[in-house]
Amino acid sequence: MSLSWHLLAFIVAICLLVTVHEFGHFSVARLLGFKVLRFSVGFGKTLWSHVAGADRTEYVIAAVPLGGYVKMLDEREGPVAAAELSRAFNHRPHWQRIVVLLAGPAFNIIFAVLLLTAIMLVAGITEARPVLGPIDAASIAGRAGLRAGDEIVAVDARAVDSQRAVLLDLLDAVSGGSPVVLTVRNGAGAPRTSTLAINGEAERRRLTEPSALMSGLGLEFYEPPVPPVLGSVESNGPAARAGLQAGDTILAIDAQPVHDFQNVVTQIQSRPGQRISIQYRRRGVDASVQVSVLAQTQDGRTVGRILARPPPLPPYPESLLRHTRLSLPGAFVQANVQAWDMTALQGRLFWRMLIGRVSVKNLSGPVGIAELAGDSASLGVAPFLYFLVIVSLALGFMNLLPIPLLDGGQILFQTIEWLKGSPLSERIQAIGQQLGIALLVLLLGVTLFNDISRQFG
């Protein structure tokens, strides 16, 4: 996927979600009688501006699309005419100020719920049953007695009916510190329980690193086997230079037969930097070539690549799918349930990250978010919309944290002033602002470090 595509998807997502957030502040402020001076999407140099309305509000699109702001009339930022003092932010009742500050995160959450409702109303809910694929006997899952064909029906006594639910509940359980007990059934047999033996806090934290949970536990969901056929071959890659083409069926690698595309991936990944022999069939004729395998970094380890992609995935068996059509009320209820579950889990994981139970490697900065935006957009409209749901919920949650400079920090200040009966001193506010800047710089540093680490291993 090209850099320009990722960048475009990222800009579209961030601009949309920032506009929703700032429109929350703007619309509620206008409704309550605050005077709004500027509504800006982005920071830095102004690319476009327009002044409109009785209050002569300036609408701005700025050059850096990583945020935005709504500027209101405020006596603390400059002189205010006596006739307009009642509309200045610092002269409005504290409860109104808090409502305006809450409106930004609230609009992000409402937007996510409405978007999720639309997705469910149009497409319904289609989820894959959590049936397990091959299990390594030496893994944590294997030692717990789990077997291929087992279907997970509960995690720590909480019923689950989809792969997504299993992933979220496993992450919650592993990071929570308690024993992880899976209830499974195989065929028509009675359910049985298996306890995953995870050794210590360090191992649990390692399992919460990106992409480490399922592989670290030795769990793998069933996937329909993909034939060992090259779907596409990247030009100037090792496969293309060796003469391999899209449509070639791989028969063997270094004389070891392969039966599906996963066999091809496994064998090539285990040979970084080596020269291998690939036997293939093209239009009924067998041949072989020598291929120099690239060595690339993936999730902190070196793997082999020949820069060829699989064919289109075969359809998932209908027997392993659950599809539910929903009415508008049903979709709205389900959207609220999912939004609440995701936000509550996000809160628990964030707290556990602060106390060291969840890896900070999960934090992503602009580069990581841009990659997710581009990847989801490349999969189609529905995955990109679901990406918007997740990021909008995250934006709403993060802005409610009691960090100065964020909405949550400002709400905390306003609440203290309300209870105190007088404004906070300039010194206290300055210390709070400096602390907020330091925390945000630290957070940005961690996310950028994670982004760079993911790119270069």
Side-chain angles (χ1 to χ4, degrees):
M1 189 59 58
S2 68
L3 176 62
S4 59
W5 177 255
H6 284 89
L7 185 60
L8 176 62
F10 172 73
I11 290 174
V12 169
I14 294 301
C15 286
L16 175 61
L17 297 180
V18 165
T19 301
V20 169
H21 182 92
E22 298 306 330
F23 183 73
H25 293 310
F26 170 80
S27 60
V28 174
R30 291 279 298 271
L31 182 65
L32 293 176
F34 292 72
K35 182 172 182 178
V36 179
L37 303 178
R38 179 179 295 172
F39 179 172
S40 177
V41 176
F43 297 110
K45 183 180 178 181
T46 298
L47 300 179
W48 174 88
S49 67
H50 178 68
V51 176
D55 288 338
R56 307 300 292 163
T57 302
E58 182 184 16
Y59 300 88
V60 174
I61 296 178
V64 184
L66 296 179
Y69 62 94
V70 171
K71 182 178 180 180
M72 299 175 214
L73 187 68
D74 195 322
E75 199 176 20
R76 297 168 298 180
E77 298 181 2
V80 176
E84 294 190 317
L85 274 178
S86 64
R87 301 189 64 198
F89 183 87
N90 64 310
H91 279 266
R92 305 300 295 177
H94 283 89
W95 72 266
Q96 291 188 1
R97 303 183 211 175
I98 293 172
V99 169
V100 169
L101 291 167
L102 282 170
F107 268 52
N108 279 125
I109 295 171
I110 292 169
F111 173 79
V113 169
L114 294 179
L115 187 54
L116 196 52
T117 299
I119 294 171
M120 292 180 175
L121 182 62
V122 172
I125 300 177
T126 300
E127 294 185 306
R129 289 167 50 193
V131 175
L132 298 177
I135 299 292
D136 182 355
S139 67
I140 294 174
R143 295 196 301 271
L146 296 172
R147 300 186 294 270
D150 285 342
E151 180 175 0
I152 300 175
V153 296
V155 178
D156 285 349
R158 174 170 170 159
V160 292
D161 60 2
S162 68
Q163 294 180 7
R164 185 185 68 86
V166 168
L167 288 170
L168 294 178
D169 282 6
L170 270 178
L171 181 58
D172 195 13
V174 167
S175 63
S178 59
V180 182
V181 180
L182 302 184
T183 304
V184 300
R185 66 178 174 217
N186 194 311
R192 68 183 196 279
T193 59
S194 298
T195 301
L196 303 180
I198 305 173
N199 299 320
E201 290 296 322
E203 177 65 10
R204 286 178 179 267
R205 184 167 54 251
R206 187 191 68 78
L207 288 171
T208 67
E209 293 179 6
S211 305
L213 180 63
M214 295 295 282
S215 60
L217 293 173
L219 290 171
E220 181 180 334
F221 292 124
Y222 169 81
E223 292 288 345
V226 180
V229 177
L230 302 184
S232 64
V233 176
E234 188 171 318
S235 60
N236 296 321
R241 288 197 298 269
L244 292 172
Q245 300 176 7
D248 289 346
T249 300
I250 307 301
L251 304 176
I253 296 176
D254 284 343
Q256 297 183 37
V258 294
H259 306 290
D260 57 39
F261 200 86
Q262 186 56 49
N263 288 156
V264 176
V265 171
T266 301
Q267 293 203 35
I268 290 174
Q269 285 189 343
S270 66
R271 294 169 166 84
Q274 298 181 24
R275 190 168 177 80
I276 61 175
S277 172
I278 294 183
Q279 183 181 357
Y280 66 96
R281 178 171 297 154
R282 181 184 300 163
R283 293 187 287 275
V285 178
D286 293 357
S288 64
V289 292
Q290 297 292 313
V291 182
S292 297
V293 180
L294 281 178
Q296 294 187 347
T297 300
Q298 174 184 296
D299 298 329
R301 63 191 183 95
T302 303
V303 298
R305 300 261 194 237
I306 63 171
L307 302 185
R309 302 185 189 280
L313 298 178
Y316 218 79
E318 286 295 326
S319 60
L320 296 184
L321 293 176
R322 289 191 179 93
H323 184 74
T324 306
R325 302 297 301 182
L326 296 170
S327 63
L328 178 57
F332 183 70
V333 169
Q334 284 298 316
N336 276 275
V337 169
Q338 284 199 21
W340 169 254
D341 286 346
M342 285 189 281
T343 303
L345 176 60
Q346 190 172 219
R348 292 195 296 273
L349 294 179
F350 186 81
W351 170 248
R352 291 169 188 169
M353 190 179 298
L354 293 179
I355 62 176
R357 287 185 177 179
V358 172
S359 172
V360 296
K361 293 181 181 180
N362 289 284
L363 294 172
S364 289
V367 176
I369 296 173
E371 285 187 340
L372 291 173
D375 291 344
S376 63
S378 69
L379 294 174
V381 174
F384 183 65
L385 293 179
Y386 200 76
F387 163 81
L388 291 178
V389 168
I390 294 171
V391 177
S392 192
L393 289 173
L395 187 59
F397 169 78
M398 293 297 293
N399 268 280
L400 288 174
L401 295 177
I403 298 175
L405 298 183
L406 298 181
D407 294 327
Q410 297 304 309
I411 291 169
L412 178 62
F413 281 173
Q414 294 299 326
T415 302
I416 293 173
E417 285 190 5
W418 194 3
L419 296 175
K420 180 172 175 281
S422 62
L424 293 172
S425 68
E426 291 185 4
R427 182 172 178 272
I428 293 295
Q429 292 189 52
I431 292 173
Q433 298 292 341
Q434 291 167 3
L435 177 62
I437 291 172
L439 288 173
L440 291 179
V441 168
L442 176 62
L443 183 62
L444 180 60
V446 172
T447 59
L448 287 176
F449 176 80
N450 287 344
D451 285 347
I452 293 171
S453 297
R454 280 189 282 267
Q455 293 297 316
F456 299 103

